[in-house]
């Protein structure tokens, strides 16, 4: 396993649309190593999720996982470890109250984004088995954020307002709006 370099905003690969993962690909040693590397990279960076484009691989692959004591997002619930291939997300309600999102590709910053907090997601797992689930709350926000990367979208593209974006040490994420 290896910690891979995480691409930062401005790198053109982060703005590309990824290709579907095929059933043949998932059986290779290289693909299995990629998944292990992604989990190791995500954990090393204290992340909640990581999409393959963030490490320069333009494939529809996301890994997520967070203990309930994540230092970057205190007070958020646990997100189970999961491998997601070729996801399709359908919002089941309008954007909600919003959340102060951060991103390993936009280090040291947060921005306020409103997203639906209830979605239907279809995806394939690491065995290429198909799944469909209705997902709510924080986990739905995390999955939408990570899956956006597969289509070249970063959370900064979805900011409620550019006034609600800034460096972690300077921005008030306790809910106060910035003037």
């Amino acid at each position: 396993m290896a910690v891979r370099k995480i691409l930062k905003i401005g790198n053109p690969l982060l703005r590309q649309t990824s290709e579907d993962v095929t059933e043949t690909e998932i059986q290779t040693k290289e693909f299995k190593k990629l998944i292990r590397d992604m989990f190791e990279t995500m954990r090393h960076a204290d992340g909640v999720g990581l999409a393959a484009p963030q490490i320069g691989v333009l494939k529809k692959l996301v890994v997520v996982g967070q203990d309930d004591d994540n230092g970057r997002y205190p007070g958020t619930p646990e997100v189970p470890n999961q491998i997601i291939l070729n996801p399709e997300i359908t919002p089941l309600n309008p954007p909600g109250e919003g959340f102060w999102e951060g991103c390993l590709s936009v280090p040291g910053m947060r921005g306020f984004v409103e997203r639906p907090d209830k979605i239907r997601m279809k995806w394939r797992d690491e065995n290429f088995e198909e799944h469909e689930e209705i997902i709510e709350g924080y986990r739905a926000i995390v999955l939408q954020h990570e899956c956006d990367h597969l289509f070249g979208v970063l959370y900064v593209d979805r900011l409620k307002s550019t006034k609600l974006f800034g460096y972690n040490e300077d921005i008030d994420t306790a809910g106060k709006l910035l003037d």
Side-chain angles (χ1 to χ4, degrees):
M1 294 192 294
V3 172
R4 304 245 190 139
K5 178 184 176 187
I6 297 173
L7 304 180
K8 293 186 177 94
I9 189 169
N11 187 304
L13 287 177
L14 291 173
R15 297 309 192 156
Q16 305 276 332
T17 298
S18 296
E19 297 178 0
D20 283 345
V21 174
T22 66
E23 189 169 7
T24 305
E25 277 179 284
I26 67 165
Q27 298 168 18
T28 67
K29 288 180 184 177
E30 294 83 8
F31 193 80
K32 291 174 181 168
K33 181 181 183 322
L34 172 62
I35 290 172
R36 289 191 307 271
D37 288 355
M38 286 180 66
F39 272 113
E40 187 168 333
T41 301
M42 177 186 74
R43 289 185 183 113
H44 181 263
D46 201 21
V48 178
L50 186 70
Q54 291 180 273
I55 59 167
V57 177
L58 293 176
K59 287 292 184 173
K60 290 182 181 169
L61 165 62
V62 165
V63 299
V64 296
Q66 169 188 297
D67 296 330
D68 58 4
D69 62 350
N70 181 281
R72 289 184 66 225
Y73 296 101
T76 55
E78 182 176 343
V79 174
N81 286 342
Q82 190 172 19
I83 299 163
I84 299 160
L85 309 174
N86 308 334
E88 297 174 22
I89 292 177
T90 305
L92 296 179
N93 62 9
E97 293 181 23
F99 185 78
W100 286 97
E101 294 188 19
C103 181
L104 299 176
S105 291
V106 188
M109 302 188 86
R110 291 286 164 102
F112 194 78
V113 178
E114 293 179 344
R115 296 182 188 266
D117 65 356
K118 185 176 182 181
I119 60 172
R120 174 179 289 114
M121 190 169 86
K122 295 180 185 180
W123 75 97
R124 292 190 178 271
D125 64 20
E126 66 275 18
N127 299 312
F128 219 67
E129 293 178 16
E130 195 167 337
H131 298 269
E132 182 174 342
E133 183 180 351
I134 293 176
I135 302 164
E136 298 185 62
Y138 177 66
R139 186 169 161 235
I141 302 301
V142 168
L143 290 169
Q144 289 172 86
H145 173 109
E146 296 306 331
C147 291
D148 269 356
H149 283 293
L150 306 178
F151 299 93
V153 177
L154 299 173
Y155 83 92
V156 297
D157 302 324
R158 298 190 183 279
L159 292 172
K160 178 178 170 88
S161 165
T162 55
K163 292 180 179 181
L164 300 173
F165 176 66
Y167 289 98
N168 291 342
E169 64 268 14
D170 294 326
I171 197 159
D172 180 4
T173 60
K176 296 178 183 173
L177 298 181
L178 305 177
D179 296 68

